[in-house]
Amino acid sequence: MATEQKTDKPQSKTPGDYTFLDVDKLTQHVTDTGKILPRRITHLTSKEQRHMSQTVKRARSLLLMK
């Protein structure tokens, strides 16, 4: 029976895993004027872009972002 070793490395979040509380990460996908950057600049998939858009809008409505 082989034993599996667990690594305690924190897994990096993908843009699809961001929540509205990850304001530092969300500001990387928003311009200085507050516009959400397009996919051709951020290189996100369409699914990640939709999630990012909804997450940024949610953070804005809670006044966590401009």
Side-chain angles (χ1 to χ4, degrees):
M1 208 158 124
T3 60
E4 294 181 23
Q5 293 181 357
K6 293 184 180 180
T7 58
D8 292 332
K9 293 181 184 178
Q11 292 184 354
S12 62
K13 287 187 171 182
T14 62
D17 295 333
Y18 294 160
T19 64
F20 62 91
L21 297 174
D22 297 323
V23 177
D24 297 335
K25 299 289 185 178
L26 293 177
T27 53
Q28 295 175 355
H29 299 279
V30 177
T31 63
D32 295 334
T33 58
K35 294 182 179 181
I36 300 170
L37 292 171
R39 283 183 58 205
R40 62 184 165 82
I41 295 176
T42 59
H43 302 290
L44 296 176
T45 63
S46 59
K47 184 176 181 179
E48 290 171 339
Q49 182 71 18
R50 286 193 306 269
H51 177 74
M52 182 66 58
S53 175
Q54 289 300 317
T55 307
V56 168
K57 290 176 184 180
R58 191 169 292 133
R60 283 182 189 156
S61 70
L62 294 172
L63 300 177
L64 299 174
M65 293 179 66
K66 284 186 177 182

